[in-house]
Amino acid sequence: MAMARLELIVLLVAFTTCLVRAEDGFLKEPPDYIKECRIADKDFVNCSTHSIQQLFDKLNDGIPGLTSIKSFDPFYLNRIRITQGNSNAINLKVELANVKIVGFGHTNVLESQVFKKDYSWKTTFTLPEMKLQADYSLFGRILLIPLNGKGQVFLDAENMTVTMHTKTRLYSKGGFTFYNVTNLHVDFKMDGLKSYFSNLFNGNKQLEDSTNKFFNDNWRMLADALYTVITQTIEDILLDVLKKIFHFIPANFFVSDIPTPEQLYGRAKPKPK
């Protein structure tokens, strides 16, 4: 009887602890899928690179307790709107809807730098393949070809190398220091781009096929023309994911000797809304 009562108490304590953690909405102990690093150490970049790789690997399975990220690979975006063009060759209005991106599950982190001045980051990683599928609406010119169509677009980028520049502000919560990811910018290069746009010319199949062939034969020019589309897609994905991760996992678990906001800025900063 006493043993049963003890087991009940243990279960109630465990249940209450889970509720508190869920209500607080962040980790209070370092998880085993992150390697803590000291920015003061000489091998910090190597340590940080390994730690961020572990984080990306864990995203494939899902981070326990972080329910706001439903799926990382594939990743879904509702809508992307872009107006691009300041030359005769490129003048576009593009809208993508029901966007599905495949490939981030195979992210290979080459280098992760954190700058002590403001704790911004520079992260370089590769994607062996990134595929995008979406409903598109397009009006304008690509490579001097006039376009006006609605349909489906398929893009398949090969061997992408992405450099991500991330701005952060530190804030305190529950005795820990957190990153608030405020801005993100990426540059990229790739080894190939396959593409297909359906219904480019409102049902003129012959013209559609010849244009798609031209785009694939001249993929470097198309990649330049779609540079803003691709970068904004990557930025939208990573900004959404990183904001959620770093509101959930304290920065102390990545950089064990990170300063408090008061130590870095000289005064307390308000929590992000």
Side-chain angles (χ1 to χ4, degrees), residues 71-168:
S71 174
F72 184 58
D73 192 7
F75 194 91
Y76 299 92
L77 293 169
N78 290 330
R79 195 170 300 274
I80 300 173
R81 291 188 179 94
I82 295 169
T83 299
Q84 177 183 353
N86 53 10
S87 70
N88 291 329
I90 303 170
N91 192 340
L92 284 177
K93 289 185 178 179
V94 182
E95 180 172 321
L96 303 181
N98 304 314
V99 186
K100 176 183 177 181
I101 304 98
V102 175
F104 277 91
H106 299 285
T107 300
N108 178 34
V109 181
L110 301 180
E111 186 176 70
S112 169
Q113 298 183 58
V114 179
F115 300 103
K116 292 179 69 174
K117 179 181 178 181
D118 58 359
Y119 283 82
S120 60
W121 319 326
K122 179 183 177 183
T123 312
T124 305
F125 60 90
T126 60
L127 297 172
E129 188 175 56
M130 189 189 80
K131 296 183 178 182
L132 179 149
Q133 177 181 342
D135 300 323
Y136 83 89
S137 173
L138 184 152
F139 176 79
R141 293 189 306 274
I142 296 181
L143 310 180
L144 299 179
I145 300 173
L147 301 171
N148 184 6
K150 293 183 178 181
Q152 283 204 314
V153 58
F154 301 88
L155 300 177
D156 187 351
E158 301 173 2
N159 295 322
M160 294 188 73
T161 300
V162 181
T163 301
M164 176 177 69
H165 304 270
T166 310
K167 293 294 184 182
T168 70

